[in-house]
Amino acid sequence: MGKKGKKEKKGRGAEKTAAKMEKKVSKRSRKEEEDLEALIAHFQTLDAKRTQTVEAPCPPPSPRSTGGPSGRSGHRMVAWKRQLILFGGFHESTRDYIYYNDVYTFNLDTFTWSKLSPSGTGPTPRSGCQMSVTPQGGIIIYGGYSKQRVKKDVDRGTRHSDMFLLKPEDGREDKWVWTRMNPSGVKPTPRSGFSAAMALNHQTLFFGGVCDEEEEESLAGEFFNDLYFYDATRNRWFEGQLKGPKSEKKKRRRGRKEESEGGSKLACGGAGTQGPVQVVKEVVAEDGTVVTIKQVLAAPGSAGQPRSEDEDSPEEAGSSAPGPCPRSNAMLAVKHGVLYVYGGMFEAGDRQVTLSDLHCLDLHRMEAWKALVEMDPETQEWLEETDSEEDSEEVEGAEGGDEDEDEDSREESGAED
C-alpha cells in the first residue's frame, strides 16, 4: 500500500510540472504576440507621422527680384484675356530718372506676376504712353515721354510719337514679339499728357495733351483740345473733325448753291469766305485775377470742298466747334457712343489750373460738343502760390503802416492841444 501511494503522488507531481511548463510556454507565446502587435503598431504610427501633412500659419515671402515689377509711376496697363499686361513707367531717384520699357503680365487665376521677354525691337524706355487692345488680340503702344538730366538742375525731355504692336507669336501666349507700326493718315503732332479711350468700331480715341518747349531756365507749354482716332483694322489715323449743327449744314448748302450761281466770286476769296474764329473763355481766381483761355477754331470752309474717298467715317468730315478748352491729363469715357471729357489741367503763365468741367460729344453724329458742367471759378484749384497773394500781403502791411502813422499823428496833435 505504501509503495502504491508514493507512485500516485509522483505521477500527480509530473502532471503539475507539465501543466506549469505548458502555462509558461502559453504565457510567453501570448507576450511575444503582444510585443509583435505593439511593434507593428509603433511602426504604423511612425509611418503615419512621416506621411502626415500639417498646415501651419507663416508670414508671406519677403520681396525678391524674381517677382513682379519694381515700384514705379507713369506706367500703363491693359486687360488681355485672363491677364493684366503692364508696360513702362519711371522712377525718380535723387540723382537721375530711371525709365522702363519692360513688360509684365499678372495672371488673374493664380495671382502671380511673370516677366515677358518679347523678341524684336520694342519701344525705348518711357512713361505716360497709351496702350489699347486691337480687335485681332494685339496691344498697341503709342507715344509717351521721357527725360534725362543733362547737367545739374537742368533736364531735357523727349516726346515720343512712335507706335509699336505687341502680340503673341504664332498664337502662343508664352511667346511675344514687338513690331514697329507706321500708320497712314493724319497723325497727331508730338505731345504728352494726352488721354485715350476705346471708341466705336474698336477705334482708339485720343484727346488733348501738351507740347512743352523746354529751355534751360524756362518751360512753356502749348495745350491741345483736338481729337484723333486710330483704326487698328486699317492701321490709319483720322482727325476727329466736327460736322456742326444741322442748322449750320443748311446754311452751308445754301451757300454752296449761291456759289455755283454766282460764278467765281466766292471762289476767289470774296466777302463770303470766313476766317478763323476765336473763342475766349475767362476763369476768375479767388484773388480776383482773370485768366483768359483762347481757342482759335478753323473756319467751316471744308463743307464746300470735295469729299475724299475715305470721308465715309463720321470722324473725318466737317469743321470744328467750341468744346472743352485745351488741356492735358483729362479723363475720358465712352458710353453708348457718347464721349465724355472731364477735368484736366492747363497752364496760364506761371499758374497751373485744375479743371472741373464736363463735356460730351455724340460720336455717331459728330456734330458739336455739349457742356454738361461749366467751369466754376470758385472750384478752381491753383497748384502754385501767386505773386498777387504776396502783393496783397504787402498791401495789407502797407495799410497797417499808414494806420500806425495816423495814430502817431493823432497822439502828437493831442499833446499839442
Side-chain angles (χ1 to χ4, degrees):
M1 292 295 291
K3 291 181 179 181
K4 188 177 180 180
K6 287 182 180 180
K7 288 181 180 180
E8 291 178 356
K9 289 182 179 179
K10 187 177 181 180
R12 287 197 294 269
E15 291 177 0
K16 289 182 180 178
T17 303
K20 288 181 180 179
M21 290 297 295
E22 186 179 355
K23 189 175 182 180
K24 284 183 179 182
V25 172
S26 177
K27 187 176 182 181
R28 185 182 301 167
S29 177
R30 286 197 304 271
K31 186 177 182 182
E32 289 177 354
E33 291 179 358
E34 292 175 357
D35 292 343
L36 182 60
E37 292 177 356
L39 189 61
I40 293 174
H42 176 68
F43 281 113
Q44 288 178 345
T45 304
L46 292 178
D47 186 64
K49 289 182 177 180
R50 190 179 295 112
T51 59
Q52 184 179 7
T53 302
V54 179
E55 294 184 3
C58 63
S62 59
R64 55 200 67 191
S65 59
T66 57
S70 58
R72 63 190 67 186
S73 63
H75 50 279
R76 293 295 182 264
M77 187 167 63
V78 295
W80 186 86
K81 295 186 178 180
R82 293 291 300 167
Q83 300 180 64
L84 302 176
I85 298 184
L86 179 145
F87 170 80
F90 80 101
H91 171 72
E92 183 175 354
S93 64
T94 55
R95 296 183 178 181
D96 205 351
Y97 304 96
I98 302 174
Y99 285 84
Y100 303 95
N101 63 343
D102 47 6
V103 183
Y104 284 85
T105 66
F106 184 78
N107 192 302
L108 296 176
D109 295 323
T110 61
F111 290 176
T112 56
W113 285 104
S114 299
K115 185 175 182 179
L116 297 181
S117 299
S119 59
T121 303
T124 58
R126 64 191 62 189
S127 68
C129 62
Q130 293 299 338
M131 295 179 65
S132 60
V133 180
T134 67
Q136 297 78 18
I139 298 173
I140 290 291
I141 295 179
Y142 170 73
Y145 180 81
S146 64
K147 65 179 177 180
Q148 58 182 352
R149 192 156 288 165
V150 294
K151 56 175 75 173
K152 187 178 181 180
D153 299 332
V154 178
D155 303 327
R156 178 177 298 167
T158 301
R159 297 178 302 274
H160 302 280
S161 59
D162 46 4
M163 179 178 286
F164 293 84
L165 174 65
L166 178 66
K167 65 177 182 178
E169 189 173 4
D170 300 328
R172 296 173 51 185
E173 296 186 8
D174 60 340
K175 192 174 183 181
W176 294 69
V177 59
W178 284 112
T179 304
R180 179 154 186 163
M181 307 289 290
N182 293 299
S184 60
V186 182
K187 185 179 180 180
T189 58
R191 65 190 66 184
S192 61
F194 53 89
S195 307
M198 291 304 298
L200 304 173
N201 302 322
H202 301 286
Q203 296 179 344
T204 305
L205 184 151
F206 296 83
F207 171 80
V210 59
C211 177
D212 292 327
E213 297 295 336
E214 299 183 46
E215 298 181 1
E216 290 192 359
E217 297 182 356
S218 63
L219 176 65
E222 178 184 2
F223 289 79
F224 303 95
N225 64 341
D226 46 3
L227 285 173
Y228 286 89
F229 294 81
Y230 173 71
D231 190 332
T233 304
R234 303 163 68 181
N235 191 26
R236 183 171 182 180
W237 284 103
F238 299 102
E239 187 176 2
Q241 296 180 338
L242 306 185
K243 299 177 181 179
K246 293 182 179 180
S247 58
E248 293 185 5
K249 293 180 185 178
K250 295 180 181 179
K251 293 179 181 179
R252 293 173 192 166
R253 285 197 291 268
R254 287 197 299 267
R256 288 199 299 272
K257 184 176 180 181
E258 294 173 358
E259 180 180 353
S260 60
E261 295 175 354
S264 60
K265 181 178 180 180
L266 296 180
C268 297
T273 58
Q274 300 181 17
V277 179
Q278 179 172 286
V279 179
V280 180
K281 295 182 180 180
E282 293 184 347
V283 177
V284 182
E286 295 179 356
D287 59 0
T289 304
V290 179
V291 178
T292 303
I293 307 171
K294 296 182 180 180
Q295 295 177 250
V296 179
L297 305 177
S302 59
Q305 299 176 355
R307 292 186 178 183
S308 63
E309 58 181 3
D310 294 314
E311 201 174 5
D312 52 348
S313 61
E315 60 269 16
E316 294 181 78
S319 60
S320 301
C325 68
R327 64 192 65 194
S328 67
N329 299 314
M331 290 292 104
L332 308 185
V334 176
K335 183 69 172 178
H336 298 314
V338 178
L339 168 66
Y340 296 89
V341 177
Y342 172 74
M345 63 85 63
F346 75 95
E347 295 177 355
D350 295 334
R351 298 177 177 228
Q352 294 181 350
V353 183
T354 55
L355 303 171
S356 60
D357 51 347
L358 178 62
H359 298 259
C360 69
L361 174 66
D362 191 331
L363 298 178
H364 293 283
R365 299 180 179 180
M366 290 294 291
E367 292 181 353
W369 285 97
K370 180 180 179 181
L372 302 179
V373 179
E374 295 282 1
M375 287 187 296
D376 186 359
E378 296 182 358
T379 62
Q380 300 304 310
E381 180 181 355
W382 303 91
L383 301 182
E384 296 180 1
E385 293 184 358
T386 61
D387 296 334
S388 59
E389 295 178 356
E390 298 176 357
D391 296 341
S392 62
E393 293 178 357
E394 293 177 358
V395 171
E396 291 177 357
E399 292 176 353
D402 294 341
E403 292 176 359
D404 294 339
E405 292 178 359
D406 294 338
E407 291 178 358
D408 293 341
S409 61
R410 285 194 295 270
E411 290 177 358
E412 292 177 357
S413 61
E416 291 177 357
D417 295 335

